[in-house]
Amino acid sequence: MSELQGLQLNLAELRARGAAVAGVVVDPVATNAALVRDAGIGFPILSDPDLQVIDAYGLRHVAAHEGRDIAHSASVLVDREGVVRWTFVTRNVRVRPTPHDVLAAIDALPAQH
Amino acid sequence: MQTTSERTYRPGARLGLALAGLLLGIAGVVGYFVLLFRLGASLPGLRNSALLNWMVVALGLALSGLAVTRTAAGRRTIPSVLLGFNVVAAGLFAFFLYGMLAVPPADGPAVGVPAPDFALSDQTGKTVRLADFLGAPLLLVFYRGHW
């Protein structure tokens, strides 16, 4: 949650680099709509209740909460051609990449041809 | 006849030191939850490292320890108990930070390979695909959610 809000605080800098942000979560669309509204999130939050995409990205956390599977907290930077260029998969839920880490990863992408 | 050390012994001051140490220790621990839930968005580095909180906790432990060592040998019960509370609080804090919040490792997607395609509903119900973002860098943030 604070990670999404931190990205929101730095959304202008992300967009100045031409980058887009999207969240992915098991929560239903209605929950995500409330989150976007209440937390003032300015990027899409995508609902993956069946964990199809979370599985495709190797990020299923089995029985993480009351026996229910959810996503690992992780950030994945995809370049302009759709290739994964940087990932951060946390080993501790309180530790997330800072917006500074993310901006540095974007700046490290090869320049557009 | 009093010795020099007995003349300078002020139990009230030592107890105050021990209490201040315990309060600092607790403030360091409780303060982390403020950082985690309220200020994490603006201070992510402090949220990640908990460094500031550990400095406050360490100062609290040092004061509590000092209060015990500066108290006459026969009167150390109360400052020792307060130091004990402080040590337990610091131990629980460490367990929370590094034990309870730890998660098993996950590989995530391999770097250098095409990102798996997706088609998911956004918060308005509109289907969003990876292809919609091609041509610009995309940061996908997987998070645990509200359950």
Side-chain angles (χ1 to χ4, degrees):
Chain A
M1 181 71 176
S2 68
E3 183 184 14
L4 298 181
Q5 290 171 322
L7 289 168
Q8 178 62 33
L9 291 176
N10 290 272
L11 200 55
E13 278 198 73
L14 287 158
R15 287 188 172 149
R17 289 162 167 79
V21 182
V24 181
V25 68
V26 295
D27 289 340
V29 168
T31 302
N32 300 336
L35 170 72
V36 164
R37 185 185 64 236
D38 297 343
I41 301 297
F43 48 86
I45 302 293
L46 309 179
S47 179
D48 187 18
D50 302 324
L51 289 92
Q52 286 180 348
V53 175
I54 290 164
D55 272 339
Y57 281 75
L59 291 169
R60 180 187 286 253
H61 186 179
V62 176
H65 181 73
E66 294 176 356
R68 194 180 159 194
D69 294 0
I70 58 175
H72 275 279
S73 293
S75 296
V76 177
L77 181 63
V78 181
D79 72 9
R80 296 168 184 83
E81 285 79 37
V83 176
V84 175
R85 290 300 177 194
W86 174 85
T87 66
F88 184 110
V89 184
T90 194
R91 292 292 317 275
N92 186 305
V93 296
R94 75 190 160 80
V95 179
R96 312 290 174 86
T98 65
H100 177 80
D101 298 333
V102 171
L103 292 171
I106 293 170
D107 289 340
L109 290 176
Q112 194 168 17
H113 297 293
Chain B
M1 184 177 166
Q2 288 183 320
T3 66
T4 305
S5 64
E6 282 170 334
R7 272 203 309 276
T8 56
Y9 169 59
R10 291 177 291 132
R14 304 290 183 249
L15 191 60
L17 196 63
L19 273 172
L22 179 58
L23 287 176
L24 263 181
I26 290 172
V29 173
V30 172
Y32 187 74
F33 291 89
V34 177
L35 206 54
L36 192 60
F37 295 114
R38 293 285 170 206
L39 301 175
S42 49
L43 300 169
L46 289 178
R47 177 201 63 207
N48 285 353
S49 73
L51 180 64
L52 185 68
N53 300 84
W54 276 123
M55 288 169 71
V56 174
V57 167
L59 183 63
L61 285 170
L63 291 185
S64 291
L66 199 64
V68 173
T69 58
R70 293 277 176 94
T71 302
R75 303 178 184 181
R76 287 180 176 168
T77 306
I78 292 175
S80 296
V81 168
L82 294 178
L83 174 62
F85 280 136
N86 216 351
V87 169
V88 168
L92 290 174
F93 187 44
F95 176 67
F96 172 74
L97 287 184
Y98 307 109
M100 287 177 70
L101 297 182
V103 291
D107 292 334
V111 171
V113 302
D117 199 7
F118 59 78
L120 295 173
S121 296
D122 72 4
Q123 70 277 7
T124 67
K126 188 182 82 173
T127 299
V128 174
R129 293 180 167 78
L130 177 65
D132 298 337
F133 297 97
L134 289 180
L138 169 66
L139 180 72
L140 284 171
V141 181
F142 293 83
Y143 68 101
R144 298 165 64 80
H146 292 174
W147 308 313

